[in-house]
Structures are given as C-alpha cells and as structure tokens.
PDB file of all heavy atoms in Angstrom:
ATOM      1  N   GLY A   1       5.250   8.082  13.639  1.00 67.00           N
ATOM      2  CA  GLY A   1       6.542   7.473  13.346  1.00 67.00           C
ATOM      3  C   GLY A   1       6.581   6.533  12.168  1.00 67.00           C
ATOM      4  O   GLY A   1       7.593   5.859  11.932  1.00 67.00           O
ATOM      5  N   PHE A   2       5.475   6.465  11.403  1.00 83.00           N
ATOM      6  CA  PHE A   2       5.431   5.581  10.238  1.00 83.00           C
ATOM      7  C   PHE A   2       4.857   6.351   9.047  1.00 83.00           C
ATOM      8  O   PHE A   2       3.696   6.164   8.665  1.00 83.00           O
ATOM      9  CB  PHE A   2       4.574   4.339  10.526  1.00 83.00           C
ATOM     10  CG  PHE A   2       5.172   3.398  11.520  1.00 83.00           C
ATOM     11  CD1 PHE A   2       4.820   3.480  12.859  1.00 83.00           C
ATOM     12  CD2 PHE A   2       6.113   2.458  11.132  1.00 83.00           C
ATOM     13  CE1 PHE A   2       5.380   2.624  13.795  1.00 83.00           C
ATOM     14  CE2 PHE A   2       6.682   1.596  12.058  1.00 83.00           C
ATOM     15  CZ  PHE A   2       6.316   1.672  13.395  1.00 83.00           C
ATOM     16  N   PRO A   3       5.652   7.231   8.428  1.00 88.00           N
ATOM     17  CA  PRO A   3       5.153   7.973   7.267  1.00 88.00           C
ATOM     18  C   PRO A   3       4.810   7.021   6.124  1.00 88.00           C
ATOM     19  O   PRO A   3       5.501   6.020   5.901  1.00 88.00           O
ATOM     20  CB  PRO A   3       6.333   8.879   6.904  1.00 88.00           C
ATOM     21  CG  PRO A   3       7.528   8.194   7.470  1.00 88.00           C
ATOM     22  CD  PRO A   3       7.065   7.520   8.724  1.00 88.00           C
ATOM     23  N   THR A   4       3.718   7.332   5.431  1.00 90.00           N
ATOM     24  CA  THR A   4       3.269   6.441   4.364  1.00 90.00           C
ATOM     25  C   THR A   4       3.100   7.194   3.056  1.00 90.00           C
ATOM     26  O   THR A   4       2.814   8.398   3.037  1.00 90.00           O
ATOM     27  CB  THR A   4       1.924   5.774   4.720  1.00 90.00           C
ATOM     28  OG1 THR A   4       0.945   6.785   4.969  1.00 90.00           O
ATOM     29  CG2 THR A   4       2.073   4.876   5.933  1.00 90.00           C
ATOM     30  N   ALA A   5       3.263   6.450   1.963  1.00 94.00           N
ATOM     31  CA  ALA A   5       2.944   6.945   0.634  1.00 94.00           C
ATOM     32  C   ALA A   5       1.522   6.498   0.320  1.00 94.00           C
ATOM     33  O   ALA A   5       1.199   5.308   0.436  1.00 94.00           O
ATOM     34  CB  ALA A   5       3.913   6.370  -0.393  1.00 94.00           C
ATOM     35  N   ASN A   6       0.672   7.423  -0.070  1.00 94.00           N
ATOM     36  CA  ASN A   6      -0.733   7.130  -0.320  1.00 94.00           C
ATOM     37  C   ASN A   6      -0.992   7.017  -1.819  1.00 94.00           C
ATOM     38  O   ASN A   6      -0.655   7.927  -2.589  1.00 94.00           O
ATOM     39  CB  ASN A   6      -1.609   8.242   0.271  1.00 94.00           C
ATOM     40  CG  ASN A   6      -1.426   8.348   1.771  1.00 94.00           C
ATOM     41  OD1 ASN A   6      -1.894   7.511   2.518  1.00 94.00           O
ATOM     42  ND2 ASN A   6      -0.713   9.394   2.204  1.00 94.00           N
ATOM     43  N   ILE A   7      -1.595   5.896  -2.220  1.00 95.00           N
ATOM     44  CA  ILE A   7      -1.830   5.617  -3.629  1.00 95.00           C
ATOM     45  C   ILE A   7      -3.297   5.239  -3.822  1.00 95.00           C
ATOM     46  O   ILE A   7      -3.811   4.340  -3.137  1.00 95.00           O
ATOM     47  CB  ILE A   7      -0.935   4.472  -4.129  1.00 95.00           C
ATOM     48  CG1 ILE A   7       0.546   4.840  -3.957  1.00 95.00           C
ATOM     49  CG2 ILE A   7      -1.233   4.140  -5.584  1.00 95.00           C
ATOM     50  CD1 ILE A   7       1.494   3.694  -4.225  1.00 95.00           C
ATOM     51  N   ALA A   8      -3.981   5.911  -4.761  1.00 90.00           N
ATOM     52  CA  ALA A   8      -5.359   5.560  -5.087  1.00 90.00           C
ATOM     53  C   ALA A   8      -5.381   4.223  -5.825  1.00 90.00           C
ATOM     54  O   ALA A   8      -4.468   3.909  -6.601  1.00 90.00           O
ATOM     55  CB  ALA A   8      -5.990   6.648  -5.952  1.00 90.00           C
ATOM     56  N   LEU A   9      -6.422   3.429  -5.605  1.00 90.00           N
ATOM     57  CA  LEU A   9      -6.477   2.086  -6.195  1.00 90.00           C
ATOM     58  C   LEU A   9      -6.957   2.093  -7.646  1.00 90.00           C
ATOM     59  O   LEU A   9      -6.651   1.175  -8.405  1.00 90.00           O
ATOM     60  CB  LEU A   9      -7.383   1.188  -5.352  1.00 90.00           C
ATOM     61  CG  LEU A   9      -6.857   0.876  -3.953  1.00 90.00           C
ATOM     62  CD1 LEU A   9      -7.853   0.011  -3.185  1.00 90.00           C
ATOM     63  CD2 LEU A   9      -5.509   0.174  -4.031  1.00 90.00           C
ATOM     64  N   GLY A  10      -7.742   3.096  -8.030  1.00 86.00           N
ATOM     65  CA  GLY A  10      -8.158   3.187  -9.423  1.00 86.00           C
ATOM     66  C   GLY A  10      -8.912   1.970  -9.916  1.00 86.00           C
ATOM     67  O   GLY A  10      -9.793   1.444  -9.233  1.00 86.00           O
ATOM     68  N   GLU A  11      -8.550   1.493 -11.115  1.00 87.00           N
ATOM     69  CA  GLU A  11      -9.284   0.420 -11.775  1.00 87.00           C
ATOM     70  C   GLU A  11      -8.893  -0.977 -11.298  1.00 87.00           C
ATOM     71  O   GLU A  11      -9.458  -1.970 -11.759  1.00 87.00           O
ATOM     72  CB  GLU A  11      -9.053   0.493 -13.288  1.00 87.00           C
ATOM     73  CG  GLU A  11      -9.544   1.775 -13.941  1.00 87.00           C
ATOM     74  CD  GLU A  11      -9.233   1.805 -15.426  1.00 87.00           C
ATOM     75  OE1 GLU A  11      -8.621   0.840 -15.925  1.00 87.00           O
ATOM     76  OE2 GLU A  11      -9.603   2.785 -16.077  1.00 87.00           O
ATOM     77  N   TYR A  12      -7.927  -1.080 -10.410  1.00 92.00           N
ATOM     78  CA  TYR A  12      -7.462  -2.405  -9.999  1.00 92.00           C
ATOM     79  C   TYR A  12      -8.506  -3.177  -9.202  1.00 92.00           C
ATOM     80  O   TYR A  12      -9.285  -2.606  -8.430  1.00 92.00           O
ATOM     81  CB  TYR A  12      -6.218  -2.281  -9.122  1.00 92.00           C
ATOM     82  CG  TYR A  12      -4.944  -1.987  -9.867  1.00 92.00           C
ATOM     83  CD1 TYR A  12      -4.427  -0.704  -9.930  1.00 92.00           C
ATOM     84  CD2 TYR A  12      -4.244  -3.005 -10.507  1.00 92.00           C
ATOM     85  CE1 TYR A  12      -3.246  -0.432 -10.599  1.00 92.00           C
ATOM     86  CE2 TYR A  12      -3.061  -2.737 -11.174  1.00 92.00           C
ATOM     87  CZ  TYR A  12      -2.571  -1.460 -11.225  1.00 92.00           C
ATOM     88  OH  TYR A  12      -1.404  -1.197 -11.895  1.00 92.00           O
ATOM     89  N   LEU A  13      -8.483  -4.486  -9.358  1.00 95.00           N
ATOM     90  CA  LEU A  13      -9.193  -5.392  -8.465  1.00 95.00           C
ATOM     91  C   LEU A  13      -8.832  -5.083  -7.021  1.00 95.00           C
ATOM     92  O   LEU A  13      -7.691  -4.712  -6.737  1.00 95.00           O
ATOM     93  CB  LEU A  13      -8.771  -6.832  -8.792  1.00 95.00           C
ATOM     94  CG  LEU A  13      -9.195  -7.901  -7.795  1.00 95.00           C
ATOM     95  CD1 LEU A  13     -10.427  -8.611  -8.299  1.00 95.00           C
ATOM     96  CD2 LEU A  13      -8.074  -8.903  -7.563  1.00 95.00           C
ATOM     97  N   ARG A  14      -9.790  -5.223  -6.112  1.00 95.00           N
ATOM     98  CA  ARG A  14      -9.515  -5.034  -4.685  1.00 95.00           C
ATOM     99  C   ARG A  14      -9.128  -6.367  -4.052  1.00 95.00           C
ATOM    100  O   ARG A  14      -9.991  -7.231  -3.836  1.00 95.00           O
ATOM    101  CB  ARG A  14     -10.747  -4.489  -3.963  1.00 95.00           C
ATOM    102  CG  ARG A  14     -10.955  -2.982  -3.978  1.00 95.00           C
ATOM    103  CD  ARG A  14     -10.601  -2.276  -5.212  1.00 95.00           C
ATOM    104  NE  ARG A  14     -11.033  -0.866  -5.167  1.00 95.00           N
ATOM    105  CZ  ARG A  14     -10.713  -0.003  -6.097  1.00 95.00           C
ATOM    106  NH1 ARG A  14      -9.959  -0.363  -7.136  1.00 95.00           N
ATOM    107  NH2 ARG A  14     -11.129   1.241  -6.022  1.00 95.00           N
ATOM    108  N   PRO A  15      -7.843  -6.559  -3.754  1.00 97.00           N
ATOM    109  CA  PRO A  15      -7.461  -7.738  -2.973  1.00 97.00           C
ATOM    110  C   PRO A  15      -8.045  -7.629  -1.558  1.00 97.00           C
ATOM    111  O   PRO A  15      -8.628  -6.596  -1.196  1.00 97.00           O
ATOM    112  CB  PRO A  15      -5.931  -7.671  -2.946  1.00 97.00           C
ATOM    113  CG  PRO A  15      -5.556  -6.752  -4.058  1.00 97.00           C
ATOM    114  CD  PRO A  15      -6.687  -5.754  -4.142  1.00 97.00           C
ATOM    115  N   ALA A  16      -7.873  -8.654  -0.764  1.00 97.00           N
ATOM    116  CA  ALA A  16      -8.373  -8.627   0.608  1.00 97.00           C
ATOM    117  C   ALA A  16      -7.852  -7.391   1.322  1.00 97.00           C
ATOM    118  O   ALA A  16      -6.657  -7.086   1.261  1.00 97.00           O
ATOM    119  CB  ALA A  16      -7.942  -9.890   1.344  1.00 97.00           C
ATOM    120  N   PHE A  17      -8.743  -6.678   2.002  1.00 96.00           N
ATOM    121  CA  PHE A  17      -8.300  -5.530   2.773  1.00 96.00           C
ATOM    122  C   PHE A  17      -7.504  -6.010   3.980  1.00 96.00           C
ATOM    123  O   PHE A  17      -7.905  -6.945   4.677  1.00 96.00           O
ATOM    124  CB  PHE A  17      -9.497  -4.712   3.244  1.00 96.00           C
ATOM    125  CG  PHE A  17     -10.131  -3.867   2.165  1.00 96.00           C
ATOM    126  CD1 PHE A  17     -11.272  -3.139   2.425  1.00 96.00           C
ATOM    127  CD2 PHE A  17      -9.581  -3.800   0.893  1.00 96.00           C
ATOM    128  CE1 PHE A  17     -11.864  -2.357   1.444  1.00 96.00           C
ATOM    129  CE2 PHE A  17     -10.152  -3.026  -0.099  1.00 96.00           C
ATOM    130  CZ  PHE A  17     -11.306  -2.294   0.181  1.00 96.00           C
ATOM    131  N   GLY A  18      -6.372  -5.367   4.192  1.00 97.00           N
ATOM    132  CA  GLY A  18      -5.530  -5.754   5.308  1.00 97.00           C
ATOM    133  C   GLY A  18      -4.116  -5.246   5.139  1.00 97.00           C
ATOM    134  O   GLY A  18      -3.835  -4.344   4.339  1.00 97.00           O
ATOM    135  N   VAL A  19      -3.205  -5.873   5.872  1.00 97.00           N
ATOM    136  CA  VAL A  19      -1.808  -5.455   5.928  1.00 97.00           C
ATOM    137  C   VAL A  19      -0.942  -6.479   5.199  1.00 97.00           C
ATOM    138  O   VAL A  19      -1.119  -7.698   5.387  1.00 97.00           O
ATOM    139  CB  VAL A  19      -1.347  -5.290   7.383  1.00 97.00           C
ATOM    140  CG1 VAL A  19       0.128  -4.889   7.450  1.00 97.00           C
ATOM    141  CG2 VAL A  19      -2.216  -4.251   8.099  1.00 97.00           C
ATOM    142  N   TYR A  20      -0.007  -5.978   4.394  1.00 98.00           N
ATOM    143  CA  TYR A  20       0.833  -6.827   3.562  1.00 98.00           C
ATOM    144  C   TYR A  20       2.314  -6.481   3.739  1.00 98.00           C
ATOM    145  O   TYR A  20       2.670  -5.310   3.925  1.00 98.00           O
ATOM    146  CB  TYR A  20       0.497  -6.630   2.082  1.00 98.00           C
ATOM    147  CG  TYR A  20      -0.865  -7.109   1.657  1.00 98.00           C
ATOM    148  CD1 TYR A  20      -1.991  -6.312   1.835  1.00 98.00           C
ATOM    149  CD2 TYR A  20      -1.033  -8.353   1.067  1.00 98.00           C
ATOM    150  CE1 TYR A  20      -3.251  -6.736   1.436  1.00 98.00           C
ATOM    151  CE2 TYR A  20      -2.285  -8.794   0.661  1.00 98.00           C
ATOM    152  CZ  TYR A  20      -3.387  -7.983   0.846  1.00 98.00           C
ATOM    153  OH  TYR A  20      -4.633  -8.418   0.450  1.00 98.00           O
ATOM    154  N   ALA A  21       3.155  -7.499   3.628  1.00 98.00           N
ATOM    155  CA  ALA A  21       4.578  -7.286   3.396  1.00 98.00           C
ATOM    156  C   ALA A  21       4.735  -7.043   1.900  1.00 98.00           C
ATOM    157  O   ALA A  21       4.184  -7.789   1.081  1.00 98.00           O
ATOM    158  CB  ALA A  21       5.376  -8.509   3.823  1.00 98.00           C
ATOM    159  N   VAL A  22       5.467  -5.980   1.550  1.00 98.00           N
ATOM    160  CA  VAL A  22       5.529  -5.579   0.149  1.00 98.00           C
ATOM    161  C   VAL A  22       6.956  -5.253  -0.267  1.00 98.00           C
ATOM    162  O   VAL A  22       7.819  -4.965   0.570  1.00 98.00           O
ATOM    163  CB  VAL A  22       4.634  -4.344  -0.117  1.00 98.00           C
ATOM    164  CG1 VAL A  22       3.178  -4.656   0.184  1.00 98.00           C
ATOM    165  CG2 VAL A  22       5.105  -3.121   0.678  1.00 98.00           C
ATOM    166  N   THR A  23       7.176  -5.286  -1.565  1.00 98.00           N
ATOM    167  CA  THR A  23       8.374  -4.682  -2.152  1.00 98.00           C
ATOM    168  C   THR A  23       7.911  -3.580  -3.087  1.00 98.00           C
ATOM    169  O   THR A  23       6.812  -3.647  -3.663  1.00 98.00           O
ATOM    170  CB  THR A  23       9.238  -5.693  -2.908  1.00 98.00           C
ATOM    171  OG1 THR A  23       8.438  -6.368  -3.894  1.00 98.00           O
ATOM    172  CG2 THR A  23       9.826  -6.722  -1.954  1.00 98.00           C
ATOM    173  N   ILE A  24       8.737  -2.560  -3.238  1.00 98.00           N
ATOM    174  CA  ILE A  24       8.353  -1.360  -3.978  1.00 98.00           C
ATOM    175  C   ILE A  24       9.421  -1.041  -5.013  1.00 98.00           C
ATOM    176  O   ILE A  24      10.609  -0.965  -4.689  1.00 98.00           O
ATOM    177  CB  ILE A  24       8.181  -0.154  -3.026  1.00 98.00           C
ATOM    178  CG1 ILE A  24       7.193  -0.472  -1.910  1.00 98.00           C
ATOM    179  CG2 ILE A  24       7.750   1.080  -3.800  1.00 98.00           C
ATOM    180  CD1 ILE A  24       7.856  -0.828  -0.593  1.00 98.00           C
ATOM    181  N   GLU A  25       8.986  -0.866  -6.260  1.00 97.00           N
ATOM    182  CA  GLU A  25       9.882  -0.419  -7.326  1.00 97.00           C
ATOM    183  C   GLU A  25       9.666   1.076  -7.549  1.00 97.00           C
ATOM    184  O   GLU A  25       8.534   1.528  -7.744  1.00 97.00           O
ATOM    185  CB  GLU A  25       9.604  -1.168  -8.620  1.00 97.00           C
ATOM    186  CG  GLU A  25       9.885  -2.655  -8.567  1.00 97.00           C
ATOM    187  CD  GLU A  25      11.370  -2.976  -8.498  1.00 97.00           C
ATOM    188  OE1 GLU A  25      12.174  -2.173  -9.029  1.00 97.00           O
ATOM    189  OE2 GLU A  25      11.711  -4.004  -7.911  1.00 97.00           O
ATOM    190  N   MET A  26      10.750   1.825  -7.514  1.00 96.00           N
ATOM    191  CA  MET A  26      10.669   3.267  -7.747  1.00 96.00           C
ATOM    192  C   MET A  26      11.962   3.738  -8.399  1.00 96.00           C
ATOM    193  O   MET A  26      13.049   3.515  -7.863  1.00 96.00           O
ATOM    194  CB  MET A  26      10.443   4.005  -6.418  1.00 96.00           C
ATOM    195  CG  MET A  26      10.390   5.528  -6.556  1.00 96.00           C
ATOM    196  SD  MET A  26      10.067   6.359  -4.976  1.00 96.00           S
ATOM    197  CE  MET A  26      11.553   5.910  -4.041  1.00 96.00           C
ATOM    198  N   ASP A  27      11.828   4.326  -9.566  1.00 93.00           N
ATOM    199  CA  ASP A  27      12.987   4.880 -10.280  1.00 93.00           C
ATOM    200  C   ASP A  27      14.111   3.859 -10.426  1.00 93.00           C
ATOM    201  O   ASP A  27      15.291   4.183 -10.255  1.00 93.00           O
ATOM    202  CB  ASP A  27      13.508   6.127  -9.557  1.00 93.00           C
ATOM    203  CG  ASP A  27      12.477   7.252  -9.502  1.00 93.00           C
ATOM    204  OD1 ASP A  27      11.613   7.291 -10.392  1.00 93.00           O
ATOM    205  OD2 ASP A  27      12.546   8.065  -8.566  1.00 93.00           O
ATOM    206  N   GLY A  28      13.741   2.622 -10.729  1.00 93.00           N
ATOM    207  CA  GLY A  28      14.734   1.586 -10.954  1.00 93.00           C
ATOM    208  C   GLY A  28      15.323   0.972  -9.705  1.00 93.00           C
ATOM    209  O   GLY A  28      16.185   0.103  -9.794  1.00 93.00           O
ATOM    210  N   GLN A  29      14.877   1.410  -8.538  1.00 95.00           N
ATOM    211  CA  GLN A  29      15.363   0.873  -7.272  1.00 95.00           C
ATOM    212  C   GLN A  29      14.258   0.050  -6.599  1.00 95.00           C
ATOM    213  O   GLN A  29      13.072   0.314  -6.783  1.00 95.00           O
ATOM    214  CB  GLN A  29      15.790   2.001  -6.331  1.00 95.00           C
ATOM    215  CG  GLN A  29      16.921   2.859  -6.862  1.00 95.00           C
ATOM    216  CD  GLN A  29      18.227   2.087  -6.969  1.00 95.00           C
ATOM    217  OE1 GLN A  29      18.580   1.325  -6.083  1.00 95.00           O
ATOM    218  NE2 GLN A  29      18.951   2.294  -8.070  1.00 95.00           N
ATOM    219  N   THR A  30      14.677  -0.949  -5.807  1.00 96.00           N
ATOM    220  CA  THR A  30      13.729  -1.787  -5.082  1.00 96.00           C
ATOM    221  C   THR A  30      13.859  -1.542  -3.588  1.00 96.00           C
ATOM    222  O   THR A  30      14.967  -1.538  -3.046  1.00 96.00           O
ATOM    223  CB  THR A  30      13.974  -3.284  -5.364  1.00 96.00           C
ATOM    224  OG1 THR A  30      13.850  -3.529  -6.774  1.00 96.00           O
ATOM    225  CG2 THR A  30      12.956  -4.152  -4.628  1.00 96.00           C
ATOM    226  N   TYR A  31      12.727  -1.320  -2.951  1.00 97.00           N
ATOM    227  CA  TYR A  31      12.671  -1.107  -1.510  1.00 97.00           C
ATOM    228  C   TYR A  31      11.733  -2.149  -0.901  1.00 97.00           C
ATOM    229  O   TYR A  31      10.938  -2.776  -1.597  1.00 97.00           O
ATOM    230  CB  TYR A  31      12.154   0.305  -1.193  1.00 97.00           C
ATOM    231  CG  TYR A  31      12.978   1.409  -1.792  1.00 97.00           C
ATOM    232  CD1 TYR A  31      12.727   1.861  -3.091  1.00 97.00           C
ATOM    233  CD2 TYR A  31      14.017   2.002  -1.085  1.00 97.00           C
ATOM    234  CE1 TYR A  31      13.495   2.876  -3.661  1.00 97.00           C
ATOM    235  CE2 TYR A  31      14.788   3.016  -1.641  1.00 97.00           C
ATOM    236  CZ  TYR A  31      14.517   3.442  -2.926  1.00 97.00           C
ATOM    237  OH  TYR A  31      15.283   4.442  -3.484  1.00 97.00           O
ATOM    238  N   ARG A  32      11.840  -2.299   0.409  1.00 97.00           N
ATOM    239  CA  ARG A  32      10.942  -3.190   1.132  1.00 97.00           C
ATOM    240  C   ARG A  32      10.071  -2.352   2.055  1.00 97.00           C
ATOM    241  O   ARG A  32      10.431  -1.234   2.429  1.00 97.00           O
ATOM    242  CB  ARG A  32      11.746  -4.220   1.927  1.00 97.00           C
ATOM    243  CG  ARG A  32      12.589  -5.099   1.031  1.00 97.00           C
ATOM    244  CD  ARG A  32      13.347  -6.156   1.800  1.00 97.00           C
ATOM    245  NE  ARG A  32      14.120  -6.987   0.895  1.00 97.00           N
ATOM    246  CZ  ARG A  32      14.571  -8.193   1.171  1.00 97.00           C
ATOM    247  NH1 ARG A  32      14.354  -8.712   2.372  1.00 97.00           N
ATOM    248  NH2 ARG A  32      15.240  -8.893   0.284  1.00 97.00           N
ATOM    249  N   GLY A  33       8.910  -2.911   2.403  1.00 97.00           N
ATOM    250  CA  GLY A  33       8.043  -2.143   3.255  1.00 97.00           C
ATOM    251  C   GLY A  33       6.842  -2.926   3.734  1.00 97.00           C
ATOM    252  O   GLY A  33       6.733  -4.143   3.546  1.00 97.00           O
ATOM    253  N   VAL A  34       5.951  -2.205   4.378  1.00 97.00           N
ATOM    254  CA  VAL A  34       4.700  -2.762   4.874  1.00 97.00           C
ATOM    255  C   VAL A  34       3.592  -1.850   4.375  1.00 97.00           C
ATOM    256  O   VAL A  34       3.784  -0.636   4.252  1.00 97.00           O
ATOM    257  CB  VAL A  34       4.699  -2.869   6.414  1.00 97.00           C
ATOM    258  CG1 VAL A  34       4.828  -1.505   7.081  1.00 97.00           C
ATOM    259  CG2 VAL A  34       3.476  -3.631   6.911  1.00 97.00           C
ATOM    260  N   ALA A  35       2.437  -2.425   4.025  1.00 97.00           N
ATOM    261  CA  ALA A  35       1.368  -1.627   3.435  1.00 97.00           C
ATOM    262  C   ALA A  35       0.022  -2.009   4.017  1.00 97.00           C
ATOM    263  O   ALA A  35      -0.216  -3.187   4.353  1.00 97.00           O
ATOM    264  CB  ALA A  35       1.352  -1.801   1.920  1.00 97.00           C
ATOM    265  N   ASN A  36      -0.832  -1.017   4.127  1.00 95.00           N
ATOM    266  CA  ASN A  36      -2.226  -1.260   4.484  1.00 95.00           C
ATOM    267  C   ASN A  36      -3.094  -0.950   3.271  1.00 95.00           C
ATOM    268  O   ASN A  36      -2.977   0.115   2.656  1.00 95.00           O
ATOM    269  CB  ASN A  36      -2.664  -0.382   5.661  1.00 95.00           C
ATOM    270  CG  ASN A  36      -4.085  -0.706   6.106  1.00 95.00           C
ATOM    271  OD1 ASN A  36      -4.321  -1.647   6.857  1.00 95.00           O
ATOM    272  ND2 ASN A  36      -5.057   0.060   5.628  1.00 95.00           N
ATOM    273  N   LEU A  37      -3.947  -1.886   2.920  1.00 95.00           N
ATOM    274  CA  LEU A  37      -4.861  -1.714   1.806  1.00 95.00           C
ATOM    275  C   LEU A  37      -6.280  -1.753   2.365  1.00 95.00           C
ATOM    276  O   LEU A  37      -6.679  -2.727   2.988  1.00 95.00           O
ATOM    277  CB  LEU A  37      -4.639  -2.823   0.777  1.00 95.00           C
ATOM    278  CG  LEU A  37      -5.312  -2.680  -0.586  1.00 95.00           C
ATOM    279  CD1 LEU A  37      -4.548  -3.496  -1.622  1.00 95.00           C
ATOM    280  CD2 LEU A  37      -6.763  -3.133  -0.558  1.00 95.00           C
ATOM    281  N   GLY A  38      -7.024  -0.659   2.179  1.00 92.00           N
ATOM    282  CA  GLY A  38      -8.384  -0.640   2.693  1.00 92.00           C
ATOM    283  C   GLY A  38      -8.879   0.751   2.987  1.00 92.00           C
ATOM    284  O   GLY A  38      -8.439   1.741   2.381  1.00 92.00           O
ATOM    285  N   ARG A  39      -9.777   0.842   3.970  1.00 86.00           N
ATOM    286  CA  ARG A  39     -10.447   2.118   4.271  1.00 86.00           C
ATOM    287  C   ARG A  39      -9.967   2.760   5.572  1.00 86.00           C
ATOM    288  O   ARG A  39     -10.440   3.810   5.949  1.00 86.00           O
ATOM    289  CB  ARG A  39     -11.958   1.914   4.342  1.00 86.00           C
ATOM    290  CG  ARG A  39     -12.587   1.495   3.031  1.00 86.00           C
ATOM    291  CD  ARG A  39     -14.102   1.564   3.110  1.00 86.00           C
ATOM    292  NE  ARG A  39     -14.727   1.206   1.849  1.00 86.00           N
ATOM    293  CZ  ARG A  39     -15.116  -0.021   1.535  1.00 86.00           C
ATOM    294  NH1 ARG A  39     -14.951  -1.008   2.407  1.00 86.00           N
ATOM    295  NH2 ARG A  39     -15.680  -0.260   0.370  1.00 86.00           N
ATOM    296  N   ARG A  40      -9.113   2.135   6.353  1.00 74.00           N
ATOM    297  CA  ARG A  40      -8.562   2.673   7.595  1.00 74.00           C
ATOM    298  C   ARG A  40      -9.664   2.963   8.625  1.00 74.00           C
ATOM    299  O   ARG A  40      -9.933   4.100   8.977  1.00 74.00           O
ATOM    300  CB  ARG A  40      -7.772   3.954   7.314  1.00 74.00           C
ATOM    301  CG  ARG A  40      -6.634   3.779   6.326  1.00 74.00           C
ATOM    302  CD  ARG A  40      -6.173   5.088   5.708  1.00 74.00           C
ATOM    303  NE  ARG A  40      -7.281   5.703   4.974  1.00 74.00           N
ATOM    304  CZ  ARG A  40      -7.715   6.937   5.187  1.00 74.00           C
ATOM    305  NH1 ARG A  40      -7.142   7.703   6.104  1.00 74.00           N
ATOM    306  NH2 ARG A  40      -8.713   7.427   4.492  1.00 74.00           N
ATOM    307  N   PRO A  41     -10.345   1.935   9.124  1.00 64.00           N
ATOM    308  CA  PRO A  41     -11.485   2.148  10.023  1.00 64.00           C
ATOM    309  C   PRO A  41     -11.132   2.823  11.338  1.00 64.00           C
ATOM    310  O   PRO A  41     -11.978   3.492  11.933  1.00 64.00           O
ATOM    311  CB  PRO A  41     -12.009   0.725  10.259  1.00 64.00           C
ATOM    312  CG  PRO A  41     -10.844  -0.167   9.975  1.00 64.00           C
ATOM    313  CD  PRO A  41     -10.095   0.498   8.866  1.00 64.00           C
ATOM    314  N   THR A  42      -9.880   2.706  11.806  1.00 61.00           N
ATOM    315  CA  THR A  42      -9.506   3.332  13.076  1.00 61.00           C
ATOM    316  C   THR A  42      -9.640   4.850  13.008  1.00 61.00           C
ATOM    317  O   THR A  42      -9.959   5.512  14.010  1.00 61.00           O
ATOM    318  CB  THR A  42      -8.072   2.947  13.478  1.00 61.00           C
ATOM    319  OG1 THR A  42      -7.980   1.514  13.554  1.00 61.00           O
ATOM    320  CG2 THR A  42      -7.680   3.537  14.823  1.00 61.00           C
ATOM    321  N   VAL A  43      -9.407   5.427  11.824  1.00 63.00           N
ATOM    322  CA  VAL A  43      -9.510   6.884  11.680  1.00 63.00           C
ATOM    323  C   VAL A  43     -10.731   7.271  10.848  1.00 63.00           C
ATOM    324  O   VAL A  43     -10.780   8.352  10.268  1.00 63.00           O
ATOM    325  CB  VAL A  43      -8.224   7.461  11.049  1.00 63.00           C
ATOM    326  CG1 VAL A  43      -7.032   7.235  11.961  1.00 63.00           C
ATOM    327  CG2 VAL A  43      -7.959   6.838   9.671  1.00 63.00           C
ATOM    328  N   ALA A  44     -11.717   6.353  10.809  1.00 57.00           N
ATOM    329  CA  ALA A  44     -12.982   6.605  10.115  1.00 57.00           C
ATOM    330  C   ALA A  44     -12.780   6.929   8.635  1.00 57.00           C
ATOM    331  O   ALA A  44     -13.471   7.777   8.062  1.00 57.00           O
ATOM    332  CB  ALA A  44     -13.760   7.725  10.808  1.00 57.00           C
TER     333      ALA A  44
END
C-alpha cells in the first residue's frame, strides 16, 4: 500500500540512513512525501 520511487544515490554524500519527511520537485510541481534512505535491512 505504499508504492515508492526508487532512486540510486550515485556520487552524493550518504546522509544518515533512515526515514525522512521530504518534499519532491518534479516537472515544476512540488509534492510531499516520506522517504527511506539506506539498504532496507528488513528485506535483506
């Protein structure tokens, strides 16, 4: 029930792994959301 957009981190610094409240810019529009940054240990 929580579809996610998956984005590779690439060359960016790794902030603390965890869950964040986020805003998202896409095609000139701003959305709100929640994000997990890390390796997802629950699903290995």
Side-chain angles (χ1 to χ4, degrees):
F2 291 95
T4 58
N6 299 287
I7 300 171
L9 293 178
E11 298 178 359
Y12 283 100
L13 169 99
R14 275 38 172 173
F17 284 176
V19 179
Y20 293 83
V22 298
T23 55
I24 305 101
E25 295 289 331
M26 178 178 64
D27 298 334
Q29 299 293 318
T30 301
Y31 302 87
R32 298 182 179 200
V34 62
N36 184 82
L37 191 156
R39 295 191 178 92
R40 302 161 299 125
T42 303
V43 296

